Amino acid sequence: MRRFLRHLVAAVGLLLAFTANGFADEPKQHHLVIQVDTNDRHTMDFALTNATDVIEHYRGVNQAVVVEIMACGPGLHMLREDTSPVKERIKHLSKIPPPSKIQFSACNNTKESMEKKEGRPLELLAGTTVVPLGIVRLMELQEQGWSYVRP
């Protein structure tokens, strides 16, 4: 019985050690959200460069990062198929290999407003996720511990 208890205590200790420190081959994962809210090519390029630099940095230290670019207001042009001045860069960045990844989100409130003003549905770049309200998405990600940048 004592031997069983010793083995049980040892097993629980190992379990706690793995749970507290993570598994040795799992890279740490970071989270960054970048807001683009202006229809300015320089700002869009700067946001994409920031995202690329962050991903490359963490790849170099064997850690993962998830970067989300949230487009709202006039910044939604970044993710529009018909008006994006950076769509080729976005297509290229969308192919980043795991464990890091980049995702693109569009504010539905802005999208609906633009559609009403233009009198037609908007087509967003492939892979874009539409969220109900961009500002709420930013707030919720920050509440989950994501870092926030607005270039």
Side-chain angles (χ1 to χ4, degrees), residues 59-130:
R59 180 178 290 140
V61 295
N62 196 33
Q63 294 180 10
V65 62
V66 177
V67 177
E68 180 169 330
I69 295 185
M70 164 54 63
C72 55
L76 187 65
H77 286 280
M78 179 180 194
L79 302 178
R80 287 180 54 167
E81 185 63 46
D82 62 339
T83 61
S84 176
V86 292
K87 65 182 166 185
E88 291 307 315
R89 281 191 75 186
I90 289 172
K91 287 176 187 175
H92 176 73
L93 283 172
S94 296
K95 298 174 185 172
I96 289 174
S100 293
K101 76 176 195 173
I102 188 165
Q103 53 200 40
F104 298 90
S105 298
C107 173
N108 192 52
N109 195 48
T110 300
K111 181 178 178 283
E112 287 178 350
S113 176
M114 286 182 173
E115 288 174 335
K116 184 177 179 182
K117 183 178 179 182
E118 295 179 28
R120 64 184 175 91
L122 299 182
E123 183 181 350
L124 300 178
L125 298 176
T128 299
T129 300
V130 178

Side-chain angles (χ1 to χ4, degrees), residues 33 68 136-147:
V33 60
E68 180 169 330
V136 170
R137 176 73 176 159
L138 293 169
M139 183 178 77
E140 290 174 349
L141 289 176
Q142 288 178 80
E143 289 172 348
Q144 295 170 24
W146 286 54
S147 299

